[in-house]
Amino acid sequence: MLRSNTRWLWLYFPMSWIAVGVVLLHIVFYDWTLLTPKDVGGTLFGGAMSTQLFLSGWAVATLGLIVAILLRLPGSILAWITAGLVPLCIGGWWQLNYPDDANGNLLYSPVQADITIAMLIGAAILASGLYARIRVKTASRNASLSGLKIFGKTVAAAALSAFFIAVPLAFLKQQALPYCAFSKEGQQLSVCLSEEDGKRSMNSTFKVIT
């Protein structure tokens, strides 16, 4: 049981749970996106580019959760166990309900073998989480934290939350920008296909981001 009379406790626990929860939401999102079979027959490189992007996001989110565990933030071990259960549940569902392509004209990604690998990774995460939970329970019976340590962990949890909240918000903001948009300073804010498009956009006031 955590023993401390520090005044930061009222902020430490909520901030820790927010940080852990936000990171876990990222992992769940990437698990669902990566493990849900989609027809990628008409996409560029068979959807490999988007898969790499989502895998990178999953890796960053998993790293964020590992950081939370190393900081021993409340709820981090439980979130790690959940992160192991999610691919097992999603993968198991799609193994039983994988889309049928009777004519062989569709190209689905991921294939069932990839889903199986993801389930094995999930099982490893789950097993390590259960083991860590037992170890932490034993080690934390007489644990105590100083006010300075709790303050430091609170700041770290706030930084973790800010990062994993700011990144998707920035992405959504970028997605909402009009085609070939420029700021008043001339900085390109979204994709242009040609220089002519860029010049046309800079002269169009409705595409200037204020």
Side-chain angles (χ1 to χ4, degrees):
M1 181 66 182
L2 181 66
R3 299 198 307 268
S4 179
N5 296 321
T6 178
R7 59 184 178 180
W8 292 105
L9 278 178
W10 68 273
L11 184 60
Y12 169 63
F13 286 102
M15 189 58 66
S16 297
W17 280 100
I18 290 173
V20 169
V22 168
V23 175
L24 182 60
L25 283 176
H26 277 259
I27 293 176
V28 172
F29 168 77
Y30 289 122
D31 282 341
W32 175 259
T33 303
L34 288 167
L35 294 179
T36 301
K38 296 174 288 292
D39 179 20
V40 295
T43 60
L44 183 64
F45 302 120
M49 295 182 67
S50 61
T51 299
Q52 290 296 327
L53 178 63
F54 288 126
L55 277 174
S56 299
W58 179 87
V60 171
T62 302
L63 181 61
L65 190 52
I66 291 174
V67 170
I69 293 173
L70 293 176
L71 291 172
R72 297 187 178 182
L73 297 182
S76 57
I77 298 296
L78 182 60
W80 186 256
I81 293 173
T82 305
L85 282 172
V86 169
L88 286 174
C89 295
I90 297 176
W93 167 261
W94 285 119
Q95 289 285 17
L96 296 174
N97 299 276
Y98 199 82
D100 183 26
D101 181 18
N103 298 323
N105 297 324
L106 301 177
L107 178 62
Y108 286 108
S109 177
V111 297
Q112 287 183 285
D114 292 337
I115 296 177
T116 301
I117 293 174
M119 292 177 67
L120 291 175
I121 294 174
I125 293 175
L126 175 61
S128 63
L130 293 173
Y131 175 76
R133 183 172 176 80
I134 295 173
R135 292 291 301 272
V136 168
K137 276 187 174 181
T138 304
S140 62
R141 286 177 181 174
N142 299 316
S144 62
L145 287 177
S146 65
L148 183 60
K149 285 185 177 180
I150 288 186
F151 175 75
K153 288 188 176 186
T154 303
V155 172
L160 204 61
S161 301
F163 175 78
F164 282 97
I165 292 175
V167 169
L169 288 179
F171 177 77
L172 291 174
K173 181 180 178 181
Q174 182 70 23
Q175 291 292 98
L177 290 175
Y179 168 74
C180 200
F182 282 78
S183 67
K184 287 184 176 181
E185 292 75 21
Q187 180 183 4
Q188 183 176 339
L189 300 176
S190 60
V191 177
C192 299
L193 295 180
S194 66
E195 293 183 2
E196 183 179 351
D197 290 333
K199 293 178 181 178
R200 187 185 305 116
S201 176
M202 292 183 68
N203 294 327
S204 302
T205 56
F206 70 92
K207 286 188 177 181
V208 174
I209 306 302
T210 57

